[in-house]
Amino acid sequence: MTSVRVKSIVQNSVTKSDGFPQPFLSLEDLEGGTGRLLVDGLPLKAAEDSIEHRPGDVLFSKLRPYLAKSHLPGKPGTGTGELLVLRPSAQIDPRFLFYVTLSHPWLEWANATAYGTKMPRTAWELLSEYRMWLPSVEEQRRIADFLDAETARIDTLASRRSKQTEAMAERELALIADMLSGSVESGKGQLTGWPWLPEIPINWSIGPVYAYFLTELGKMLNVGRANGRNQLPYLRNANVHWYEITIDDLATMDFAADEVRRYSVTRGDLLICEGGAGVAEAAVWDGRLQECYFQKSLHRVRRAGPVPVEWLMYWLRLAKACGVFEAEGNVATIPHLTGEQLRRYRIPIPIDGDSLVERTSEEISRLTSVRTKLSQAQALLAERRQALITAAVTGQIDVSTASGRGIEK
């Protein structure tokens, strides 16, 4: 089996853009693991330090978080300087090279050669030392044809599951909207003035969050947080997702005796992300730890009246999906939901919130269970895809006899 270093059959093109607007490819435009474009069309851009590419080149990300991002462009253009432009020689088929860059051994090598701490990246000088199997060009094309067909089958299945997941997400929001509106028929309730939730029952009211809940922002991190003697676990926004709180990576910091009551969480507390990409995401703490606290990136909300905290959680879910926070100017470089904003939001106040929440939660729980299974199935498909690519480009399977057996039809 012929084995060669990548640098002997591939060049790294570093031609800079001439400054004229051309279709520009950024890392965010690529889907990890497949190389597909996530946008319908690339913007025309004269970006500083952009790199030119042409048909037949293979683009591969330098940055470690994106190392599974490769692309085989069909048209000339430019791309971010964080892409390596791999230009194959006559000894290697461009599609074969593309699949090599999606294989597990290649990505392992790229990770192993990455340098830096804050934003690790690999370099051509290091990556080009990778040794790969090099069959004849004719065999490379057979392998590429095989992988084109088989990955297309897998991608079709993945697309169907994605649509199922999207449909369930829409169903979830419809359930929440139905609950928050009291299932009132159009024209038979009181108008709210909110285009995303236009009517509620006549016998309901509308009131500010502060009138029905107690809210508190968590403890601010400080330099001495890791040095105190009273080290206790705390939750941060990375732990809180819609309907779920994870505790696998809890950090600790010092909480003084007079802070224990103020910053502790108890069973039934609602925790809401204050900022970042997950702003407004919320979940109810289930009390799985006997003692736990929360940091300033989270709001803690406690019931102080007839409305359960889950009602507010579902209101936040629908409001965010409908773009309420963006429309009201809360999104800047880093989006935030401040304590004052949260307290002053006006929400529908139901007559029988507990029973409405109970019924809706049961339905959403069933949907969540199915979505989790779909997500697991998607992960298995992605693993199958990469395993198939790896086996084909390393000579572990004979593509003339191999088929897609084992892939769900």
Side-chain angles (χ1 to χ4, degrees):
M1 181 179 289
T2 303
S3 174
V4 300
R5 284 189 172 87
V6 169
K7 65 182 180 182
S8 68
I9 55 172
V10 175
Q11 290 183 336
N12 176 38
S13 175
V14 292
T15 304
K16 299 287 186 179
S17 169
D18 58 12
F20 291 97
Q22 296 185 64
F24 180 81
L25 181 69
S26 67
L27 294 182
E28 291 73 21
D29 296 326
L30 299 176
E31 182 178 59
T34 68
R36 284 196 300 263
L37 283 176
L38 296 174
V39 293
D40 293 332
L42 295 175
L44 292 177
K45 192 173 179 182
E48 186 178 349
D49 293 330
S50 59
I51 304 295
E52 287 189 345
H53 60 78
R54 66 191 189 193
D57 291 339
V58 174
L59 309 179
F60 182 73
S61 171
K62 300 176 186 178
L63 285 171
R64 191 162 70 185
Y66 297 97
L67 280 180
K69 290 194 173 180
S70 301
H71 184 56
L72 185 64
K75 297 179 180 179
T78 63
T80 170
E82 294 296 353
L83 287 167
L84 291 171
V85 179
L86 309 182
R87 186 156 293 166
S89 69
Q91 294 176 269
I92 182 167
D93 181 82
R95 289 181 302 147
F96 184 78
L97 175 61
F98 168 66
Y99 284 118
V100 168
T101 64
L102 293 176
S103 68
H104 185 65
W106 171 277
L107 295 176
E108 274 195 329
W109 180 265
N111 271 303
T113 58
Y115 60 92
T117 53
K118 189 174 181 180
M119 295 184 71
R121 49 173 53 79
T122 191
W124 169 248
E125 292 74 20
L126 301 171
L127 196 60
S128 64
E129 294 293 332
Y130 177 77
R131 296 193 70 91
M132 58 172 285
W133 173 53
L134 188 68
S136 68
V137 174
E138 182 182 358
E139 177 66 11
Q140 292 173 35
R141 288 171 181 158
R142 275 199 298 268
I143 291 170
D145 288 342
F146 167 80
L147 290 175
D148 284 348
E150 295 302 321
T151 57
R153 294 178 60 201
I154 294 173
D155 293 345
T156 297
L157 286 173
S159 177
R160 290 173 186 168
R161 288 192 174 134
S162 292
K163 289 177 180 177
Q164 290 175 319
T165 301
E166 290 169 6
M168 290 191 176
E170 291 175 4
R171 173 59 180 161
E172 174 197 333
L173 293 174
L175 285 169
I176 294 172
D178 193 53
M179 179 192 74
L180 293 174
S181 66
S183 304
V184 67
E185 294 182 27
S186 179
K188 295 186 179 181
Q190 61 170 307
L191 299 178
T192 64
W194 308 324
W196 55 283
L197 195 67
E199 292 182 72
I200 60 174
I202 293 175
N203 60 340
W204 286 16
S205 60
I206 296 174
V209 168
Y210 68 75
Y212 299 91
F213 303 97
L214 301 174
T215 67
E216 181 75 60
L217 199 58
K219 180 178 178 178
M220 181 181 292
L221 293 176
N222 56 67
V223 177
R225 69 181 178 87
N227 301 322
R229 289 180 294 179
N230 197 29
Q231 292 290 312
L232 296 167
Y234 69 90
L235 299 166
R236 59 193 193 282
N237 59 2
N239 301 112
V240 178
H241 315 280
W242 287 121
Y243 319 142
E244 178 188 26
I245 297 175
T246 59
I247 61 171
D248 296 336
D249 60 345
L250 290 186
T252 64
M253 67 173 157
D254 180 66
F255 288 88
D258 60 345
E259 296 176 321
V260 169
R261 181 179 179 85
R262 181 178 180 183
Y263 297 122
S264 63
V265 291
T266 60
R267 182 182 178 89
D269 285 345
L270 179 68
L271 293 164
I272 304 170
C273 292
E274 185 269 346
V279 64
E281 291 191 19
V284 178
W285 177 243
D286 58 8
R288 75 189 80 168
L289 295 180
Q290 185 174 358
E291 191 171 12
C292 193
Y293 299 82
F294 68 112
Q295 184 238 349
K296 193 179 179 181
S297 61
L298 294 174
H299 299 282
R300 183 194 63 200
V301 177
R302 285 178 174 167
R303 183 171 181 166
V307 186
V309 294
E310 290 86 352
W311 182 269
L312 177 59
M313 175 180 71
Y314 290 131
W315 181 88
L316 288 165
R317 178 74 176 94
L318 183 63
K320 182 171 183 178
C322 293
V324 170
F325 305 121
E326 291 89 341
E328 297 187 6
N330 295 314
V331 175
T333 305
I334 300 177
H336 286 282
L337 175 62
T338 68
E340 186 62 20
Q341 288 169 331
L342 176 62
R343 285 190 289 272
R344 291 193 174 278
Y345 271 119
R346 295 174 65 79
I347 63 174
I349 305 301
I351 298 298
D352 53 349
D354 286 294
S355 60
L356 289 172
V357 162
E358 183 178 1
R359 289 197 298 271
T360 301
S361 294
E362 289 175 357
E363 289 290 332
I364 290 178
S365 178
R366 283 192 283 270
L367 284 176
T368 300
S369 177
V370 175
R371 287 168 68 180
T372 298
K373 291 176 182 177
L374 282 173
S375 178
Q376 292 169 343
Q378 287 286 65
L380 288 174
L381 274 179
E383 290 177 11
R384 164 66 175 162
R385 192 184 198 279
Q386 189 183 58
L388 188 65
I389 290 171
T390 298
V393 301
T394 56
Q396 297 176 47
I397 59 173
D398 180 357
V399 301
S400 62
T401 58
S403 70
R405 286 175 296 179
I407 302 176
E408 179 185 338
K409 299 248 179 111

